[in-house]
Amino acid sequence: MNRFLSLIIIVIFASSLCASIPEQVLVNRGSFLMGTTWREEGVDYEPVRRIHLNYDYYIGKFEVTFEEYEAFCDETGRILPDDSGWGKGSRPVMNVSWWDAIAYCNWLSNKQEIPLAYDSEGNLLDGRGKITTDPSEVEGFRLPTDPEWEFAARGGNASEGYTRSGGNSVDSVAWYKTNSENMTHPVGTKAPNELGIHDMSGNVWEWVSDYHTDYYSSEETNPYVSSFSAYRVKRGGSWIDCPVGVSVDVRSKGLPSHAITNLGFRICKTAK
């Protein structure tokens, strides 16, 4: 009987652990043109450059939800962010800073007993705990890099070349200014993109790992902007943005301490 009870406890614990890890989608390595690959009125032009990602990675199928983030808050004693009265549960967590997002990522790594992806200064760490600028060397859960985010949003190697993540019809794939009723919506309620990833256009902006900087036409492999600036990159647009603002090439920036009702994140992990 004691063995049976012990087995039940182990199964419950393992189930609880797995349930706290957001669902992820594999993105296979590949090359793509990053930047403004089409012209659309109102879009800030981003120089086009060819990016090579020579490693596979996992990215969140959905934006991290209030329910998932609440488990982190409960275990660490953090205060759960305000939901503006819209509801929590499966809605994307919002009012989270960049620092909050990477703390959540490190918490996930601790739960899986794998090396942390970030140090206390926000630097990326490799599997030995050393600072790195190569995301392929990172073993822990983290935010996607700017190029990883865009490659996944465009559909990876299965891309059909859509202007938004999953299609050209903005109403089909995104919660944005016209259809959102001025609030977030539960994740996964709009059509996915070619890889089965939801909400990479609209709902909430998403923090990524990189510092924000202007980039120029070039060719790069596994790029990650580690040079300090005051801002971190945000991607994807949100419930308050116009159709142009939820295009896959649109980038924005925010102070890493910034937290607001249209800003959240999704997780990423290098495939090992």
Side-chain angles (χ1 to χ4, degrees), residues 208-253:
V208 300
S209 276
D210 302 57
Y211 282 107
H212 186 276
T213 186
D214 293 332
Y215 57 75
Y216 305 96
S217 299
S218 62
E219 187 169 356
E220 294 189 76
T221 299
N222 303 349
Y224 164 66
V225 179
S226 61
S227 302
F228 177 81
S229 79
Y231 301 99
R232 295 282 180 170
V233 177
K234 303 185 297 183
R235 298 299 303 252
S238 75
W239 58 266
I240 202 172
D241 290 287
C242 62
V244 167
V246 298
S247 302
V248 292
D249 61 324
V250 171
R251 300 165 75 236
S252 187
K253 62 185 179 182

Side-chain angles (χ1 to χ4, degrees), residues 185-204:
H185 289 261
V187 301
T189 49
K190 288 292 184 180
N193 73 359
E194 299 92 324
L195 295 176
I197 308 170
H198 294 261
D199 298 305
M200 296 196 83
S201 287
N203 221 0
V204 291

Side-chain angles (χ1 to χ4, degrees), residues 98-99 101-103 105-106 109 115-145 208-211 224-229 232 256:
W98 187 87
W99 295 108
I102 68 166
C105 291
N106 276 352
S109 297
L116 300 184
Y118 297 98
D119 67 12
S120 61
E121 301 298 320
N123 297 302
L124 283 179
L125 301 175
D126 66 17
R128 300 169 299 167
K130 303 294 184 181
I131 293 174
T132 183
T133 58
D134 186 347
S136 71
E137 297 178 346
V138 182
E139 295 186 15
F141 289 98
R142 54 184 175 80
L143 301 176
T145 65
V208 300
S209 276
D210 302 57
Y211 282 107
Y224 164 66
V225 179
S226 61
S227 302
F228 177 81
S229 79
R232 295 282 180 170

Side-chain angles (χ1 to χ4, degrees), residues 34-37 39 44-48 212 214-215 249-251:
M34 180 176 179
T36 308
T37 51
R39 296 301 299 164
D44 291 333
Y45 178 75
E46 296 284 357
V48 176
H212 186 276
D214 293 332
Y215 57 75
D249 61 324
V250 171
R251 300 165 75 236

Side-chain angles (χ1 to χ4, degrees), residues 129-204:
K130 303 294 184 181
I131 293 174
T132 183
T133 58
D134 186 347
S136 71
E137 297 178 346
V138 182
E139 295 186 15
F141 289 98
R142 54 184 175 80
L143 301 176
T145 65
D146 199 4
E148 286 172 345
W149 189 97
E150 187 167 323
F151 186 51
R154 288 177 177 271
N157 294 319
S159 178
E160 297 290 337
Y162 298 130
T163 55
R164 280 101 195 168
S165 186
N168 294 325
S169 172
V170 63
D171 283 288
S172 298
V173 300
W175 293 110
Y176 69 110
K177 185 176 183 178
T178 301
N179 66 8
S180 70
E181 299 179 326
N182 294 319
M183 67 177 72
T184 62
H185 289 261
V187 301
T189 49
K190 288 292 184 180
N193 73 359
E194 299 92 324
L195 295 176
I197 308 170
H198 294 261
D199 298 305
M200 296 196 83
S201 287
N203 221 0
V204 291

